[in-house]
Amino acid sequence: LRRHVDKGAGRALLMITHDLAAAERVADRIAVMYAGRIVELADARTFFGAPGPRHPYSRGLLDALPDRAFTPVPGLPPELGALPDGCAFAARCDRATDACAVLPPPHRAVACHHPHAALTEAVDRA
């Protein structure tokens, strides 16, 4: 897939997948969606390496991989026809507070009221 991308000619490739291993092999940037909304946008090296994803759902996805903690994301996804006004992941999130009842604006490429900490240089690149 990478041979079809030519940064000099202004071409890019958008790959939509549930296969995080494939995304890790080919992606320069990662966008994670939850309930139809982008919750995180990050540099692939930062996302898959240190400091890792900042959104709790993104962290949960990586922790669910067999070569990592193999821990499933708790709970069930919301009904897409009845999304809450606030963060759609709040019911499944151990970091949720009353602030999560309001939809979080993307802050430095993470749509979360309580993102995990990140290294300053990694955040500035996102």
Side-chain angles (χ1 to χ4, degrees), residues 39-70:
V39 296
E40 182 160 6
L41 181 61
D43 176 81
R45 284 175 286 162
T46 300
F47 185 87
F48 290 107
R54 298 191 61 215
H55 193 280
Y57 176 64
S58 302
R59 290 222 172 191
L61 288 178
L62 289 186
D63 286 345
L65 293 174
D67 62 334
R68 301 215 180 195
F70 207 46

mmCIF file of all heavy atoms in Angstrom, residues 39-70:
data_model
loop_
_atom_site.group_PDB
_atom_site.id
_atom_site.type_symbol
_atom_site.label_atom_id
_atom_site.label_comp_id
_atom_site.label_asym_id
_atom_site.label_seq_id
_atom_site.Cartn_x
_atom_site.Cartn_y
_atom_site.Cartn_z
ATOM 1 N N VAL A 39 -12.397 10.310 18.032
ATOM 2 C CA VAL A 39 -12.063 10.610 19.421
ATOM 3 C C VAL A 39 -10.573 10.871 19.605
ATOM 4 O O VAL A 39 -10.163 11.430 20.622
ATOM 5 C CB VAL A 39 -12.543 9.503 20.389
ATOM 6 C CG1 VAL A 39 -14.066 9.413 20.384
ATOM 7 C CG2 VAL A 39 -11.912 8.166 20.075
ATOM 8 N N GLU A 40 -9.772 10.456 18.620
ATOM 9 C CA GLU A 40 -8.330 10.710 18.727
ATOM 10 C C GLU A 40 -7.700 10.723 17.347
ATOM 11 O O GLU A 40 -8.046 9.921 16.483
ATOM 12 C CB GLU A 40 -7.654 9.646 19.593
ATOM 13 C CG GLU A 40 -6.174 9.879 19.775
ATOM 14 C CD GLU A 40 -5.577 9.157 20.962
ATOM 15 O OE1 GLU A 40 -6.274 8.352 21.616
ATOM 16 O OE2 GLU A 40 -4.396 9.401 21.237
ATOM 17 N N LEU A 41 -6.774 11.636 17.164
ATOM 18 C CA LEU A 41 -5.970 11.727 15.958
ATOM 19 C C LEU A 41 -4.527 11.853 16.425
ATOM 20 O O LEU A 41 -4.207 12.753 17.202
ATOM 21 C CB LEU A 41 -6.382 12.945 15.133
ATOM 22 C CG LEU A 41 -5.654 13.177 13.829
ATOM 23 C CD1 LEU A 41 -5.856 12.001 12.872
ATOM 24 C CD2 LEU A 41 -6.138 14.462 13.181
ATOM 25 N N ALA A 42 -3.678 10.925 15.986
ATOM 26 C CA ALA A 42 -2.308 10.905 16.509
ATOM 27 C C ALA A 42 -1.317 10.409 15.468
ATOM 28 O O ALA A 42 -1.679 9.687 14.535
ATOM 29 C CB ALA A 42 -2.239 9.994 17.735
ATOM 30 N N ASP A 43 -0.073 10.760 15.666
ATOM 31 C CA ASP A 43 1.037 10.211 14.897
ATOM 32 C C ASP A 43 1.108 8.714 15.215
ATOM 33 O O ASP A 43 0.995 8.319 16.385
ATOM 34 C CB ASP A 43 2.325 10.925 15.324
ATOM 35 C CG ASP A 43 3.536 10.360 14.652
ATOM 36 O OD1 ASP A 43 3.790 10.728 13.495
ATOM 37 O OD2 ASP A 43 4.221 9.530 15.295
ATOM 38 N N ALA A 44 1.265 7.879 14.210
ATOM 39 C CA ALA A 44 1.242 6.426 14.414
ATOM 40 C C ALA A 44 2.340 5.960 15.362
ATOM 41 O O ALA A 44 2.107 5.092 16.207
ATOM 42 C CB ALA A 44 1.354 5.700 13.072
ATOM 43 N N ARG A 45 3.533 6.529 15.241
ATOM 44 C CA ARG A 45 4.620 6.094 16.140
ATOM 45 C C ARG A 45 4.298 6.418 17.594
ATOM 46 O O ARG A 45 4.590 5.639 18.487
ATOM 47 C CB ARG A 45 5.941 6.734 15.725
ATOM 48 C CG ARG A 45 6.532 6.076 14.480
ATOM 49 C CD ARG A 45 7.754 6.799 14.031
ATOM 50 N NE ARG A 45 7.266 8.043 13.426
ATOM 51 C CZ ARG A 45 7.978 9.113 13.202
ATOM 52 N NH1 ARG A 45 9.231 9.141 13.537
ATOM 53 N NH2 ARG A 45 7.447 10.174 12.647
ATOM 54 N N THR A 46 3.689 7.567 17.831
ATOM 55 C CA THR A 46 3.299 7.950 19.187
ATOM 56 C C THR A 46 2.153 7.073 19.680
ATOM 57 O O THR A 46 2.147 6.615 20.818
ATOM 58 C CB THR A 46 2.871 9.429 19.219
ATOM 59 O OG1 THR A 46 3.961 10.229 18.789
ATOM 60 C CG2 THR A 46 2.437 9.854 20.602
ATOM 61 N N PHE A 47 1.188 6.821 18.803
ATOM 62 C CA PHE A 47 0.013 6.028 19.167
ATOM 63 C C PHE A 47 0.394 4.602 19.556
ATOM 64 O O PHE A 47 -0.039 4.094 20.591
ATOM 65 C CB PHE A 47 -0.969 6.003 17.983
ATOM 66 C CG PHE A 47 -2.265 5.311 18.276
ATOM 67 C CD1 PHE A 47 -3.319 6.005 18.833
ATOM 68 C CD2 PHE A 47 -2.435 3.965 17.975
ATOM 69 C CE1 PHE A 47 -4.526 5.372 19.104
ATOM 70 C CE2 PHE A 47 -3.636 3.328 18.235
ATOM 71 C CZ PHE A 47 -4.682 4.029 18.809
ATOM 72 N N PHE A 48 1.222 3.959 18.736
ATOM 73 C CA PHE A 48 1.591 2.565 18.990
ATOM 74 C C PHE A 48 2.794 2.424 19.922
ATOM 75 O O PHE A 48 3.062 1.343 20.415
ATOM 76 C CB PHE A 48 1.857 1.837 17.675
ATOM 77 C CG PHE A 48 0.611 1.606 16.869
ATOM 78 C CD1 PHE A 48 0.360 2.341 15.723
ATOM 79 C CD2 PHE A 48 -0.321 0.660 17.263
ATOM 80 C CE1 PHE A 48 -0.789 2.130 14.988
ATOM 81 C CE2 PHE A 48 -1.482 0.445 16.532
ATOM 82 C CZ PHE A 48 -1.717 1.183 15.391
ATOM 83 N N GLY A 49 3.512 3.499 20.145
ATOM 84 C CA GLY A 49 4.689 3.450 21.006
ATOM 85 C C GLY A 49 4.460 4.234 22.287
ATOM 86 O O GLY A 49 3.399 4.179 22.890
ATOM 87 N N ALA A 50 5.493 4.996 22.664
ATOM 88 C CA ALA A 50 5.397 5.832 23.859
ATOM 89 C C ALA A 50 5.095 7.257 23.421
ATOM 90 O O ALA A 50 5.658 7.715 22.432
ATOM 91 C CB ALA A 50 6.706 5.782 24.634
ATOM 92 N N PRO A 51 4.227 7.943 24.054
ATOM 93 C CA PRO A 51 3.510 7.613 25.286
ATOM 94 C C PRO A 51 2.233 6.813 25.080
ATOM 95 O O PRO A 51 1.562 6.468 26.031
ATOM 96 C CB PRO A 51 3.183 8.978 25.859
ATOM 97 C CG PRO A 51 2.989 9.843 24.678
ATOM 98 C CD PRO A 51 3.987 9.339 23.655
ATOM 99 N N GLY A 52 1.875 6.520 23.834
ATOM 100 C CA GLY A 52 0.671 5.751 23.568
ATOM 101 C C GLY A 52 -0.534 6.646 23.380
ATOM 102 O O GLY A 52 -0.444 7.869 23.440
ATOM 103 N N PRO A 53 -1.688 6.042 23.133
ATOM 104 C CA PRO A 53 -2.909 6.810 22.909
ATOM 105 C C PRO A 53 -3.320 7.588 24.148
ATOM 106 O O PRO A 53 -3.020 7.187 25.274
ATOM 107 C CB PRO A 53 -3.962 5.757 22.576
ATOM 108 C CG PRO A 53 -3.294 4.452 22.542
ATOM 109 C CD PRO A 53 -1.914 4.602 23.027
ATOM 110 N N ARG A 54 -4.047 8.671 23.918
ATOM 111 C CA ARG A 54 -4.502 9.512 25.029
ATOM 112 C C ARG A 54 -5.963 9.273 25.391
ATOM 113 O O ARG A 54 -6.348 9.456 26.529
ATOM 114 C CB ARG A 54 -4.272 10.983 24.678
ATOM 115 C CG ARG A 54 -2.772 11.242 24.480
ATOM 116 C CD ARG A 54 -2.437 12.691 24.401
ATOM 117 N NE ARG A 54 -2.813 13.331 25.651
ATOM 118 C CZ ARG A 54 -3.287 14.573 25.720
ATOM 119 N NH1 ARG A 54 -3.434 15.295 24.649
ATOM 120 N NH2 ARG A 54 -3.614 15.087 26.881
ATOM 121 N N HIS A 55 -6.785 8.878 24.413
ATOM 122 C CA HIS A 55 -8.198 8.659 24.712
ATOM 123 C C HIS A 55 -8.364 7.293 25.384
ATOM 124 O O HIS A 55 -7.734 6.307 24.970
ATOM 125 C CB HIS A 55 -9.029 8.717 23.423
ATOM 126 C CG HIS A 55 -10.491 8.818 23.692
ATOM 127 N ND1 HIS A 55 -11.263 7.720 24.016
ATOM 128 C CD2 HIS A 55 -11.322 9.893 23.711
ATOM 129 C CE1 HIS A 55 -12.505 8.115 24.216
ATOM 130 N NE2 HIS A 55 -12.572 9.427 24.037
ATOM 131 N N PRO A 56 -9.193 7.194 26.426
ATOM 132 C CA PRO A 56 -9.381 5.906 27.105
ATOM 133 C C PRO A 56 -9.844 4.780 26.174
ATOM 134 O O PRO A 56 -9.424 3.635 26.344
ATOM 135 C CB PRO A 56 -10.444 6.221 28.165
ATOM 136 C CG PRO A 56 -10.284 7.682 28.425
ATOM 137 C CD PRO A 56 -9.901 8.288 27.106
ATOM 138 N N TYR A 57 -10.696 5.081 25.195
ATOM 139 C CA TYR A 57 -11.124 4.037 24.261
ATOM 140 C C TYR A 57 -9.952 3.558 23.412
ATOM 141 O O TYR A 57 -9.778 2.355 23.205
ATOM 142 C CB TYR A 57 -12.261 4.541 23.365
ATOM 143 C CG TYR A 57 -12.682 3.535 22.321
ATOM 144 C CD1 TYR A 57 -13.245 2.322 22.696
ATOM 145 C CD2 TYR A 57 -12.509 3.785 20.967
ATOM 146 C CE1 TYR A 57 -13.622 1.384 21.740
ATOM 147 C CE2 TYR A 57 -12.894 2.862 20.012
ATOM 148 C CZ TYR A 57 -13.444 1.662 20.401
ATOM 149 O OH TYR A 57 -13.815 0.731 19.465
ATOM 150 N N SER A 58 -9.135 4.474 22.933
ATOM 151 C CA SER A 58 -7.961 4.103 22.134
ATOM 152 C C SER A 58 -7.036 3.195 22.936
ATOM 153 O O SER A 58 -6.530 2.196 22.423
ATOM 154 C CB SER A 58 -7.202 5.354 21.693
ATOM 155 O OG SER A 58 -8.021 6.213 20.942
ATOM 156 N N ARG A 59 -6.823 3.544 24.193
ATOM 157 C CA ARG A 59 -5.991 2.697 25.059
ATOM 158 C C ARG A 59 -6.618 1.321 25.228
ATOM 159 O O ARG A 59 -5.935 0.306 25.218
ATOM 160 C CB ARG A 59 -5.800 3.349 26.417
ATOM 161 C CG ARG A 59 -4.918 4.554 26.354
ATOM 162 C CD ARG A 59 -3.983 4.587 27.485
ATOM 163 N NE ARG A 59 -3.053 5.690 27.216
ATOM 164 C CZ ARG A 59 -1.978 5.904 27.883
ATOM 165 N NH1 ARG A 59 -1.658 5.113 28.875
ATOM 166 N NH2 ARG A 59 -1.183 6.895 27.569
ATOM 167 N N GLY A 60 -7.937 1.313 25.372
ATOM 168 C CA GLY A 60 -8.647 0.042 25.506
ATOM 169 C C GLY A 60 -8.494 -0.837 24.281
ATOM 170 O O GLY A 60 -8.344 -2.052 24.396
ATOM 171 N N LEU A 61 -8.522 -0.219 23.095
ATOM 172 C CA LEU A 61 -8.329 -0.998 21.868
ATOM 173 C C LEU A 61 -6.965 -1.670 21.850
ATOM 174 O O LEU A 61 -6.852 -2.851 21.513
ATOM 175 C CB LEU A 61 -8.454 -0.092 20.638
ATOM 176 C CG LEU A 61 -9.838 0.401 20.274
ATOM 177 C CD1 LEU A 61 -9.755 1.328 19.066
ATOM 178 C CD2 LEU A 61 -10.775 -0.750 19.994
ATOM 179 N N LEU A 62 -5.940 -0.923 22.192
ATOM 180 C CA LEU A 62 -4.592 -1.513 22.194
ATOM 181 C C LEU A 62 -4.453 -2.566 23.285
ATOM 182 O O LEU A 62 -3.829 -3.604 23.063
ATOM 183 C CB LEU A 62 -3.526 -0.434 22.363
ATOM 184 C CG LEU A 62 -3.305 0.484 21.169
ATOM 185 C CD1 LEU A 62 -2.125 1.406 21.432
ATOM 186 C CD2 LEU A 62 -3.089 -0.285 19.887
ATOM 187 N N ASP A 63 -5.035 -2.316 24.447
ATOM 188 C CA ASP A 63 -4.952 -3.297 25.538
ATOM 189 C C ASP A 63 -5.695 -4.592 25.213
ATOM 190 O O ASP A 63 -5.432 -5.626 25.798
ATOM 191 C CB ASP A 63 -5.504 -2.711 26.838
ATOM 192 C CG ASP A 63 -4.559 -1.710 27.467
ATOM 193 O OD1 ASP A 63 -3.375 -1.670 27.077
ATOM 194 O OD2 ASP A 63 -5.015 -0.961 28.357
ATOM 195 N N ALA A 64 -6.631 -4.536 24.269
ATOM 196 C CA ALA A 64 -7.393 -5.731 23.888
ATOM 197 C C ALA A 64 -6.646 -6.619 22.904
ATOM 198 O O ALA A 64 -7.063 -7.754 22.662
ATOM 199 C CB ALA A 64 -8.737 -5.312 23.286
ATOM 200 N N LEU A 65 -5.533 -6.142 22.357
ATOM 201 C CA LEU A 65 -4.776 -6.937 21.393
ATOM 202 C C LEU A 65 -4.106 -8.132 22.078
ATOM 203 O O LEU A 65 -3.614 -8.018 23.204
ATOM 204 C CB LEU A 65 -3.715 -6.079 20.706
ATOM 205 C CG LEU A 65 -4.242 -4.968 19.796
ATOM 206 C CD1 LEU A 65 -3.093 -4.107 19.294
ATOM 207 C CD2 LEU A 65 -5.020 -5.562 18.629
ATOM 208 N N PRO A 66 -4.048 -9.277 21.399
ATOM 209 C CA PRO A 66 -3.437 -10.478 21.989
ATOM 210 C C PRO A 66 -1.973 -10.295 22.374
ATOM 211 O O PRO A 66 -1.521 -10.880 23.350
ATOM 212 C CB PRO A 66 -3.574 -11.531 20.892
ATOM 213 C CG PRO A 66 -4.684 -11.056 20.039
ATOM 214 C CD PRO A 66 -4.653 -9.555 20.106
ATOM 215 N N ASP A 67 -1.234 -9.478 21.642
ATOM 216 C CA ASP A 67 0.182 -9.295 21.968
ATOM 217 C C ASP A 67 0.399 -8.227 23.031
ATOM 218 O O ASP A 67 1.527 -7.922 23.393
ATOM 219 C CB ASP A 67 0.996 -8.985 20.710
ATOM 220 C CG ASP A 67 0.566 -7.706 20.027
ATOM 221 O OD1 ASP A 67 -0.603 -7.309 20.188
ATOM 222 O OD2 ASP A 67 1.399 -7.106 19.323
ATOM 223 N N ARG A 68 -0.674 -7.685 23.553
ATOM 224 C CA ARG A 68 -0.605 -6.713 24.649
ATOM 225 C C ARG A 68 -1.291 -7.334 25.862
ATOM 226 O O ARG A 68 -1.080 -8.492 26.160
ATOM 227 C CB ARG A 68 -1.222 -5.390 24.224
ATOM 228 C CG ARG A 68 -0.506 -4.808 23.004
ATOM 229 C CD ARG A 68 -0.437 -3.355 23.026
ATOM 230 N NE ARG A 68 0.263 -2.851 21.838
ATOM 231 C CZ ARG A 68 0.703 -1.636 21.752
ATOM 232 N NH1 ARG A 68 0.529 -0.792 22.731
ATOM 233 N NH2 ARG A 68 1.327 -1.233 20.667
ATOM 234 N N ALA A 69 -2.134 -6.619 26.546
ATOM 235 C CA ALA A 69 -2.755 -7.135 27.774
ATOM 236 C C ALA A 69 -3.882 -8.135 27.516
ATOM 237 O O ALA A 69 -4.255 -8.888 28.398
ATOM 238 C CB ALA A 69 -3.300 -5.970 28.609
ATOM 239 N N PHE A 70 -4.453 -8.153 26.297
ATOM 240 C CA PHE A 70 -5.556 -9.030 25.919
ATOM 241 C C PHE A 70 -6.758 -8.834 26.858
ATOM 242 O O PHE A 70 -7.452 -9.766 27.238
ATOM 243 C CB PHE A 70 -5.104 -10.492 25.898
ATOM 244 C CG PHE A 70 -5.909 -11.356 24.958
ATOM 245 C CD1 PHE A 70 -6.207 -10.940 23.682
ATOM 246 C CD2 PHE A 70 -6.355 -12.598 25.361
ATOM 247 C CE1 PHE A 70 -6.951 -11.736 22.809
ATOM 248 C CE2 PHE A 70 -7.096 -13.410 24.501
ATOM 249 C CZ PHE A 70 -7.387 -12.969 23.224
#
